Amino acid sequence: MSRIVFLEERCKGCRLCAEACPVRIIRPAGRFNRQGYEVMETEGRCTGCASCAIMCPDTAIRVFRDKAGGKTA
């Protein structure tokens, strides 16, 4: 299964990743990083499309794709 890892200390809570996600699994986590920004988290099954990581202006997202689809991380 594909998964997303947020580098929380880089996240500025802009929520562009949530807007870019085609399956709408990214949401605010309700917790804050040291800079005071609300970080994001996932809830649900990631497709590994990487739209969130492409959209993130702070490169705070890493996408790890499953190997079943022939894709690599």
Side-chain angles (χ1 to χ4, degrees):
M1 177 170 55
S2 298
R3 65 186 176 95
I4 301 169
V5 174
F6 293 95
L7 305 177
E8 293 188 358
E9 290 307 314
R10 294 182 105 172
C11 182
K12 291 185 181 164
C14 68
R15 302 181 186 198
L16 291 174
C17 56
E19 293 296 321
C21 180
V23 291
R24 302 287 184 219
I25 63 165
I26 301 174
R27 63 186 179 106
R31 63 183 180 279
F32 300 83
N33 62 19
R34 286 186 289 188
Q35 290 83 23
Y37 297 112
E38 186 174 25
V39 297
M40 306 301 283
E41 67 183 6
T42 60
E43 179 179 68
R45 187 174 169 99
C46 176
T47 62
C49 72
S51 294
C52 57
I54 292 167
M55 183 59 70
C56 182
D58 298 302
T59 60
I61 302 171
R62 301 292 181 264
V63 178
F64 297 92
R65 296 179 179 142
D66 63 0
K67 295 184 186 230
K71 300 175 184 173
T72 58

